[in-house]
Amino acid sequence: MKLDHIGIAVKSIAEARGFYEQGLGLKSEPEIEEVAGEKVLVLKLVLPPGSHIELLEPTSPDSAIGKFIEKRGPGMHHLCYAVDDIDAATKRMIQEGFEPLWPEPHDGAGGCRVNFFHPKQSHGVLTELSQRPN
Ligand code: ZN
């Protein structure tokens, strides 16, 4: 398992991206992607080798990211680990006594299949597992 990405909740990708691009010098992917199911816009910033930062901007105040910002302000939202097989990885976690957010994986950014584990179980860090498309 390796770190896939770090999700950061922001009010505005347009306002936040300068810190990462001009400041830290990270390269962003050309397109901002909308993940309609999560009501969020995603900008990926490449973090070699093989990881990235995701800036997450809510498209609705009732989205998970919108509520997070409302409650806690912008900031680090989750860590994501890459897995080869999301179904097998989730099943293994369930067998170990950890409950995923959803019974079945959802579609995430970039065609990935993802599921989450609540911060209550992971000592304060919302944790995502992600399987990249083949
Ligand atoms: Zn994520």
Side-chain angles (χ1 to χ4, degrees):
M1 213 179 256
K2 67 181 177 70
L3 185 69
D4 186 85
H5 65 269
I6 299 169
I8 298 176
V10 300
K11 287 181 182 168
S12 159
I13 287 173
E15 285 174 24
R17 65 190 300 168
F19 176 82
Y20 297 91
E21 292 173 316
Q22 279 78 55
L24 296 179
L26 299 181
K27 289 212 178 354
S28 60
E29 292 199 341
E31 302 284 335
I32 292 174
E33 182 183 352
E34 179 166 12
V35 182
E38 300 303 321
K39 298 179 192 165
V40 77
L41 298 172
V42 181
L43 177 68
K44 286 187 183 182
L45 297 140
V46 181
L47 202 58
S51 298
H52 57 275
I53 302 281
E54 282 185 1
L55 299 184
L56 306 164
E57 175 186 327
T59 57
S60 162
D62 70 357
S63 61
I65 296 295
K67 288 178 193 163
F68 177 90
I69 290 174
E70 173 72 33
K71 213 165 133 187
R72 306 174 57 166
M76 212 194 89
H77 182 259
H78 66 271
L79 291 185
C80 178
Y81 300 91
V83 295
D84 294 329
D85 181 338
I86 185 80
D87 297 305
T90 304
K91 198 173 159 197
R92 199 182 60 75
M93 294 283 284
I94 291 169
Q95 281 167 351
E96 293 297 328
F98 302 105
E99 201 57 42
L101 221 58
W102 305 312
E104 296 293 329
H106 285 196
D107 293 331
C112 291
R113 294 178 69 227
V114 306
N115 211 331
F116 285 88
F117 290 84
H118 195 276
K120 270 185 236 162
Q121 300 177 80
S122 56
H123 304 265
V125 182
L126 178 63
T127 299
E128 178 180 19
L129 300 182
S130 174
Q131 177 187 335
R132 292 191 180 176
N134 293 326

